[in-house]
Amino acid sequence: MTNRQILLVSRPQAEAGVDNFKLVETPVPALADGQVLVRHHYLSLDPYMRMRMSEAKSYAQPQPLNEVMIGGTVGEVVDSKNPGFKPGDTVRGMGGWQEYALVDANQRGVLQKVDAAHIPLSAYLGAVGMPGVTAWYGLVKIIQPKAGQTIVVSAASGAVGSAVGQLAKVRGCRAVGIAGGQEKCRYVTEELGFDACIDYKEHRDEKSLAGALKEAAPDGIDGCFENVGGVVLDAVMSQMNAFGRIALCGMISGYDGQPIPMARPQLILTQRMTLEGFIVSEHMEVWPEALKELGTLVATGTLKYRETVAQGLEQAPEAFLGLLKGRNFGKQLVKLI
Amino acid sequence: MTNRQILLVSRPQAEAGVDNFKLVETPVPALADGQVLVRHHYLSLDPYMRMRMSEAKSYAQPQPLNEVMIGGTVGEVVDSKNPGFKPGDTVRGMGGWQEYALVDANQRGVLQKVDAAHIPLSAYLGAVGMPGVTAWYGLVKIIQPKAGQTIVVSAASGAVGSAVGQLAKVRGCRAVGIAGGQEKCRYVTEELGFDACIDYKEHRDEKSLAGALKEAAPDGIDGCFENVGGVVLDAVMSQMNAFGRIALCGMISGYDGQPIPMARPQLILTQRMTLEGFIVSEHMEVWPEALKELGTLVATGTLKYRETVAQGLEQAPEAFLGLLKGRNFGKQLVKLI
């Protein structure tokens, strides 16, 4: 049986490109004791992968060259020499950019069975997966919103951002999104139920964006879930209320290595703000509580999400580069079957 | 009886100057019921006053023009129509830049009796006053140091910074100071007991300062008490460990209005840092606990401090401008008797 895989073969100098990746075919090895063979149905594409492509100091080891790109996956067990799993089980794991993964399933947490009867399998890579828990942690544990407060989230139509705003609404907050383009903004307000959404493409400089935020958040901003950085963060900071809290989840505007200075850090002092950077994989203790809420909200149709699905492993690099440019709409997936 | 007062008569355009202040003489009015007349022995000069001189958005109302400059004071009650105070009582208050203050002492907290028998009166404006509690709050409540960690503090020979490092040492930390000039650095290490002190005048750019920090903090920096901002903060951030915590107490490098961007805010994310701005007057609940520790440490000679004392109210403006330039050594006071 042949597996197809995508390797990282070089590191981007500035922008990432398709040349950084290479598609290869390899035979699937025979199973050893304890191992499980998973056929991937979906591969998750996420902004954090861009950071792993570089060697710069970061929270994680860089993705090694000439190995399968890391990534979250959902799929079905097709063979098992592990008593915990049997063919037909639907599972989530970190299978990487490949069609099959051979998993040492004895290692705790490396492969989790998921219920595909009440929640679509792909949602375990989005609203009921890492992006959803990321949203939950940043909002609930860092921003700690109170009813009546105003919460701003950038990349609001994305997998993380869309969940942040909807979880804020559940908590009685005013949710203001920032997204790229009228169509995304319409989706954020009309389908996801945010109170307002600002099209950053119409507000390219800080002053213009700050003006739009002032209008969308007339009582000021109490919490911000930040995925973008740069001008967006500067504009948000200019409108923050005293004791405002900022969860720093991503700074996609700087992923290609360009400088993204914070213009006025003195606002942290004058407004007594708290800023906290986090990565959700370091807070495994919250996953059960977060997934319980997220799963219930998705199963009941309260938490909505959208997916952009590329078809076929060979499309993964282009789809990933599109994600970095904001060409996706909602959670970016690659369908592998 | 004649009182001498210093008023703020204009706001600085960039650097503050002596012309922003004016010395006036006024008669001391007769006491009304509930009032106390205090003769000031010492006036405290502190960096926060610079921020109050401007109208820029800040945590506090700007100092009104043509009124007595605000400021902490210690002195002696010379007349009282308030049953809580009698002539001879030593007190601390916010009497402002003047020789006498008429205080409505019924308002809770506006005038506190202090014990001048075991602790010098002037210390209630420094190590056992607002600067000491500022150090205590930022270190204990925001940085939350653990034994063995490395704590960096800028403006380390100052009233706040010197207490931060000594409180960190009491908690089993490695204390690294940043100060201006060899004499101050020698004082910080030899007299205050810091483990190291970096002379920022010998490291004017970020790279050089980062190199010096790397040497002084070979295991990286776990906590930072920041009084300066700008290049100093950038250099500290470059050496922060994962989960590092930064208490933002002041950004004196930007007080004259020049931009002080933070060069690489993405480090907050990649190192999962927490930054928190604070002003100590909003955390009155910690004052009793903080003052208890600080008072004990000062009375036992464990917590050391130095004072620079200008003589006479008329010297206050020059002494204050010198403080902003780092010309003081330790707590800057004006002696009024």
Side-chain angles (χ1 to χ4, degrees), chain A residues 155 178-181 184-185 198-205 209 228 232 325-326:
Chain A
I178 301 173
K184 286 182 179 173
C185 282
I198 295 163
D199 179 2
Y200 69 76
K201 293 184 176 175
E202 290 188 4
H203 304 279
R204 290 289 187 179
D205 62 288
L209 190 53
V228 174
V232 172
K325 300 274 183 205

Side-chain angles (χ1 to χ4, degrees), chain B residues 85-304:
Chain B
F85 296 87
K86 61 178 192 303
D89 284 348
T90 45
V91 290
R92 168 170 57 196
M94 288 295 289
W97 295 27
Q98 55 184 342
E99 292 175 335
Y100 291 89
L102 202 58
V103 183
D104 285 311
N106 285 334
Q107 225 181 312
R108 197 169 159 270
V110 80
L111 204 63
Q112 304 130 33
K113 277 192 248 193
V114 295
D115 160 28
H118 301 94
I119 292 175
L121 193 53
S122 63
Y124 290 103
L125 296 176
V128 194
M130 187 269 287
V133 180
T134 299
W136 192 96
Y137 185 87
L139 183 76
V140 176
K141 293 296 182 181
I142 296 180
I143 296 175
Q144 302 171 15
K146 293 175 186 63
Q149 289 187 331
T150 298
I151 309 300
V152 170
V153 55
S154 54
S157 70
V160 175
S162 61
V164 171
Q166 293 179 86
L167 289 169
K169 288 300 293 176
V170 167
R171 285 160 175 75
C173 297
R174 179 174 176 82
V176 175
I178 301 173
Q182 290 187 7
E183 192 193 351
K184 285 183 179 174
C185 282
R186 209 163 31 236
Y187 165 71
V188 165
T189 52
E190 292 177 12
E191 292 189 48
L192 301 183
F194 284 44
D195 298 281
C197 189
I198 295 163
D199 178 2
Y200 70 77
K201 293 185 176 175
E202 290 188 2
H203 304 279
R204 289 289 187 178
D205 62 289
E206 188 203 319
K207 200 179 161 194
S208 171
L209 190 52
L213 280 166
K214 195 167 190 169
E215 206 169 297
D219 297 330
I221 301 168
D222 301 296
C224 168
F225 191 106
E226 185 55 47
N227 290 306
V228 174
V231 167
V232 172
L233 179 55
D234 287 337
V236 166
M237 284 178 64
S238 77
Q239 301 302 313
M240 288 291 279
N241 289 329
F243 309 110
R245 301 178 67 84
I246 300 179
L248 268 184
C249 173
M251 300 193 95
I252 199 169
S253 67
Y255 282 0
D256 288 339
Q258 61 276 50
I260 43 165
M262 178 189 289
R264 288 182 310 288
Q266 57 267 54
L267 288 169
I268 302 170
L269 177 58
T270 56
Q271 297 298 87
R272 292 88 83 204
M273 294 181 208
T274 299
L275 273 83
E276 192 172 333
F278 75 104
I279 59 166
V280 74
S281 55
E282 291 177 332
H283 303 279
M284 294 311 292
E285 75 285 358
V286 309
W287 283 60
E289 183 186 355
L291 287 175
K292 190 177 168 192
E293 177 175 359
L294 293 161
T296 304
L297 291 174
V298 166
T300 57
T302 311
L303 182 64
K304 301 188 178 74

Side-chain angles (χ1 to χ4, degrees), chain B residues 20-134:
Chain B
N20 298 131
F21 304 99
K22 186 182 173 189
L23 180 70
V24 298
E25 298 198 356
T26 54
V28 174
L31 272 71
D33 259 3
Q35 288 189 326
V36 173
L37 182 66
V38 181
R39 184 181 184 191
H40 292 153
H41 289 205
Y42 290 96
L43 162 67
S44 175
L45 296 178
D46 301 279
Y48 78 84
M49 294 166 173
R50 174 63 185 83
M51 224 182 311
R52 300 288 182 95
M53 291 174 73
S54 297
E55 273 183 315
K57 189 178 181 181
S58 182
Y59 44 74
Q61 290 299 315
Q63 159 77 35
L65 288 179
N66 302 313
E67 292 190 13
V68 176
M69 269 294 288
I70 52 155
T73 46
V74 286
E76 191 179 332
V77 172
V78 289
D79 201 357
S80 175
K81 286 200 172 180
N82 187 301
F85 296 87
K86 61 178 192 303
D89 284 348
T90 45
V91 290
R92 168 170 57 196
M94 288 295 289
W97 295 27
Q98 55 184 342
E99 292 175 335
Y100 291 89
L102 202 58
V103 183
D104 285 311
N106 285 334
Q107 225 181 312
R108 197 169 159 270
V110 80
L111 204 63
Q112 304 130 33
K113 277 192 248 193
V114 295
D115 160 28
H118 301 94
I119 292 175
L121 193 53
S122 63
Y124 290 103
L125 296 176
V128 194
M130 187 269 287
V133 180
T134 299

Side-chain angles (χ1 to χ4, degrees), chain A:
Chain A
M1 196 159 58
T2 299
N3 190 12
R4 296 202 305 160
Q5 307 176 312
I6 290 179
L7 317 181
L8 182 73
V9 293
S10 63
R11 301 196 187 282
Q13 295 309 305
E15 272 192 33
V18 289
D19 292 351
N20 299 130
F21 303 100
K22 187 183 172 187
L23 179 70
V24 297
E25 298 198 354
T26 54
V28 175
L31 274 71
D33 262 3
Q35 287 188 328
V36 173
L37 182 65
V38 180
R39 185 181 183 192
H40 293 154
H41 289 204
Y42 290 97
L43 162 67
S44 176
L45 296 178
D46 301 278
Y48 78 84
M49 296 167 172
R50 175 62 186 82
M51 228 184 306
R52 300 288 182 96
M53 292 174 72
S54 298
E55 273 182 319
K57 188 178 182 183
S58 180
Y59 44 74
Q61 290 299 314
Q63 159 77 33
L65 287 180
N66 303 310
E67 293 189 13
V68 176
M69 268 294 288
I70 51 156
T73 45
V74 285
E76 191 180 333
V77 172
V78 290
D79 201 357
S80 175
K81 286 199 172 180
N82 187 302
F85 297 88
K86 60 177 193 302
D89 284 350
T90 46
V91 290
R92 167 171 56 195
M94 286 295 289
W97 295 26
Q98 55 183 342
E99 292 175 336
Y100 291 89
L102 201 59
V103 183
D104 287 311
N106 285 334
Q107 227 182 307
R108 196 168 160 273
V110 79
L111 205 62
Q112 303 130 34
K113 277 192 249 193
V114 295
D115 161 28
H118 301 94
I119 293 175
L121 194 53
S122 62
Y124 290 103
L125 296 176
V128 193
M130 187 270 287
V133 180
T134 300
W136 193 94
Y137 184 87
L139 182 75
V140 176
K141 293 297 183 180
I142 296 180
I143 296 175
Q144 303 169 16
K146 293 175 186 65
Q149 289 188 330
T150 298
I151 309 300
V152 170
V153 54
S154 54
S157 70
V160 175
S162 62
V164 170
Q166 293 179 85
L167 288 169
K169 288 300 293 176
V170 167
R171 284 160 175 77
C173 298
R174 178 174 177 84
V176 175
I178 301 173
Q182 291 188 4
E183 192 193 352
K184 286 182 179 173
C185 282
R186 208 162 30 236
Y187 165 72
V188 165
T189 51
E190 292 177 11
E191 292 189 46
L192 302 182
F194 284 46
D195 298 282
C197 188
I198 295 163
D199 179 2
Y200 69 76
K201 293 184 176 175
E202 290 188 4
H203 304 279
R204 290 289 187 179
D205 62 288
E206 188 203 318
K207 201 178 162 193
S208 169
L209 190 53
L213 279 166
K214 194 166 190 169
E215 205 168 298
D219 298 330
I221 301 169
D222 301 296
C224 168
F225 191 106
E226 185 55 46
N227 290 305
V228 174
V231 167
V232 172
L233 179 56
D234 288 337
V236 166
M237 283 177 64
S238 77
Q239 302 302 314
M240 288 290 279
N241 289 328
F243 309 109
R245 301 179 67 84
I246 300 179
L248 268 184
C249 174
M251 300 194 94
I252 200 168
S253 67
Y255 282 1
D256 289 337
Q258 61 275 51
I260 43 164
M262 177 189 289
R264 289 182 310 286
Q266 57 268 51
L267 289 170
I268 303 171
L269 176 58
T270 55
Q271 297 297 87
R272 292 87 82 205
M273 293 181 209
T274 299
L275 273 82
E276 190 172 335
F278 75 105
I279 60 167
V280 73
S281 56
E282 290 177 334
H283 304 280
M284 295 310 293
E285 74 285 357
V286 309
W287 282 60
E289 183 186 354
L291 287 175
K292 191 177 167 192
E293 176 174 0
L294 294 162
T296 304
L297 291 175
V298 166
T300 57
T302 311
L303 183 62
K304 300 188 179 78
Y305 59 90
R306 191 178 279 206
E307 296 170 342
T308 296
V309 183
Q311 181 61 49
L313 184 70
E314 65 281 2
Q315 296 301 322
E318 278 290 2
F320 176 64
L321 300 174
L323 168 73
L324 295 179
K325 300 274 183 205
R327 292 201 196 106
N328 60 309
F329 197 145
K331 174 67 198 171
Q332 179 69 56
L333 298 168
V334 184
K335 195 160 193 276
L336 301 176
I337 54 165

